[in-house]
Amino acid sequence: MAADVRIGMIDGDGIGPEIVPVAVAVAGAAAARVGLDVEWVPLSMGQSAIANHGDPLPEQTVAALDGLDCWVLGPHDSAGYPEEFRGRLTPGAIIRKRYGLYANLRPARAYPGVRAVRPDIDLLIVRENSEGLYADRNMAVGSGEFMPTPDVALAVGVITRAASERIARIAFEQAQTRRGRVTVVHKANVLAMTTGLFRDACFDIAREFPDVAVDEQHVDAMAAQLVRRAGDFDVVVTENLFGDILSDLAAELAGSLGLAASINASDVKAMAQAAHGAAPDIAGQDRANPVALIESTAMLFDWWARRFDDERGREVASLMRTALGDALSAGEATPDLGGSVGTAEFGRRILARIAAT
Ligand code: ATP
């Protein structure tokens, strides 16, 4: 009989082969408890794919992703690839572009038991992921950065009403499932046309959600406000570059990059991908923190539940989060959080908690 859901699992580079199996095992155990039959589809990406197929993102992987709704992507260490692959788009960028994964959801939440700069932080950054100033995303042909002379460099920033409205809708929908507040972050006092259009589009969409409170911040003020009163913010919606920067700030305020989860989604496909990189400095040492990827995978099940209107996805995510939160509250943590539990052992302890639920 066909599985309820087929999910790609892609180890990737660096700490990927350590943290992806942990996230998959935790999700698999939670799904089994809930009676959701998951088929995990292993796919190749990164250094091992170069060795076996001559490409960091082989055709076989792309063909398989074409047929899947969602997958868990480990980190890639593109800077460590052989010279010939270094100038190219990274595997993550190719995948985001191919499937139009326009919504990057990045929560920042302090866990009980984990030391945080702002223990009251519990927010979700909804980052527009397809345009803005990112040179690899905003042109059909050529790069969004160019140099008319060796001493002059220009960058094109693209903001469209359509992309702004669709990301705003995601932000307001998310707020309905949280504390009902959206903060629109822009810089319309200086970038009046581009980020002004983004702001106006968000406020237009706000009218469709009278149950959600909305306010706005300039991005520079927002950086300061996050440090001062992170706990006051619920959902933050912003354009690509601002979202990238603010989400790293928020992750640090919540405790560690190793806790920074994210998903990249469209209306029909989603990818769980921790916000951190491949961490080659600690790869293979059983020291990597799998929390970010476990939470990212839980978010993937939330997305799936919404997409297919199947409550079991939300139950899987909830079981995963409860076990994770309980472990961290009990002081079980990897070295980056000051603990002494190894990656694999941390995974086993979460599994034991799910089994005891
Ligand atoms: P990228 O550009 O791919 O994001 P990077 O070099 O900027 O990569 P990371 O690979 O995320 O950043 O590593 C930054 C630092 O954070 C490193 O010291 C790394 O060991 C640490 N780090 C990142 N992720 C984790 C994790 N999951 N667990 C423990 N430490 C981590």
Side-chain angles (χ1 to χ4, degrees), residues 15 19 75-78 256-259 274-282 287-292 334 336:
I15 59 174
I19 60 174
H76 45 71
D77 180 19
S78 317
S256 158
L257 207 50
L259 304 173
H276 60 73
D281 53 329
I282 57 163
R287 297 170 60 83
N289 188 346
V291 170
T334 44
D336 57 307

Side-chain angles (χ1 to χ4, degrees), residues 78-352:
S78 317
Y81 295 167
E83 184 69 45
E84 57 183 305
F85 301 108
R86 257 182 257 156
R88 300 197 199 165
L89 284 184
T90 64
I94 295 171
I95 292 172
R96 273 198 307 270
K97 214 166 178 163
R98 180 177 180 90
Y99 302 114
L101 306 179
Y102 66 87
N104 184 205
L105 272 51
R106 293 185 159 190
R109 177 160 66 96
Y111 289 92
V114 176
R115 213 174 52 199
V117 179
R118 294 291 339 188
D120 56 343
I121 194 170
D122 181 6
L123 57 80
L124 175 69
I125 293 182
V126 176
R127 167 190 175 202
E128 205 294 320
N129 210 17
S130 69
E131 45 186 39
L133 267 173
Y134 279 67
D136 63 330
R137 302 179 200 187
N138 57 17
M139 305 283 278
V141 178
S143 163
E145 275 192 306
F146 45 95
M147 297 181 81
T149 77
D151 299 317
V152 176
L154 302 173
V156 174
V158 177
I159 301 279
T160 64
R161 178 174 290 279
S164 304
E165 287 185 353
R166 79 181 169 178
I167 197 68
R169 216 166 252 121
I170 299 283
F172 283 93
E173 284 168 7
Q174 288 290 322
Q176 286 178 321
T177 69
R178 295 173 50 98
R179 304 195 302 279
R181 169 170 288 278
V182 170
T183 302
V184 180
V185 173
H186 57 81
K187 187 67 183 167
N189 54 337
V190 176
L191 295 166
M193 290 187 206
T194 48
T195 74
L197 174 57
F198 181 84
R199 179 198 57 192
D200 293 348
C202 289
F203 276 91
D204 285 347
I205 296 302
R207 285 196 221 108
E208 296 172 18
F209 296 84
D211 52 329
V212 177
V214 60
D215 62 2
E216 60 185 307
Q217 291 281 343
H218 291 143
V219 64
D220 44 349
M222 185 66 189
Q225 298 294 330
L226 272 181
V227 175
R228 181 176 302 166
R229 54 180 190 96
D232 291 347
F233 296 99
D234 180 18
V235 174
V236 174
V237 63
T238 191
E239 64 85 50
N240 204 340
L241 177 60
F242 298 164
D244 201 8
I245 297 169
L246 289 180
S247 56
D248 265 29
L249 172 60
E252 260 330 292
L253 293 175
S256 158
L257 207 50
L259 304 173
S262 98
I263 63 166
N264 292 273
S266 71
D267 300 336
V268 294
K269 295 213 183 227
M271 164 167 89
Q273 184 185 22
H276 60 73
D281 53 329
I282 57 163
Q285 297 173 25
D286 195 34
R287 297 170 60 83
N289 188 346
V291 170
L293 196 62
I294 295 173
E295 172 60 33
S296 305
T297 307
M299 291 172 73
L300 196 70
F301 278 89
D302 277 334
W303 176 89
W304 181 85
R306 197 181 181 95
R307 161 99 174 86
F308 294 100
D309 197 18
D310 190 327
E311 197 51 38
R312 288 176 301 173
R314 259 182 285 276
E315 288 169 25
V316 171
S318 166
L319 263 181
M320 293 172 73
R321 286 196 183 104
T322 302
L324 192 59
D326 288 352
L328 292 169
S329 294
E332 294 167 14
T334 44
D336 57 307
L337 298 179
S340 56
V341 183
T343 312
E345 174 60 18
F346 186 81
R348 284 192 288 272
R349 293 191 189 187
I350 306 265
L351 290 179

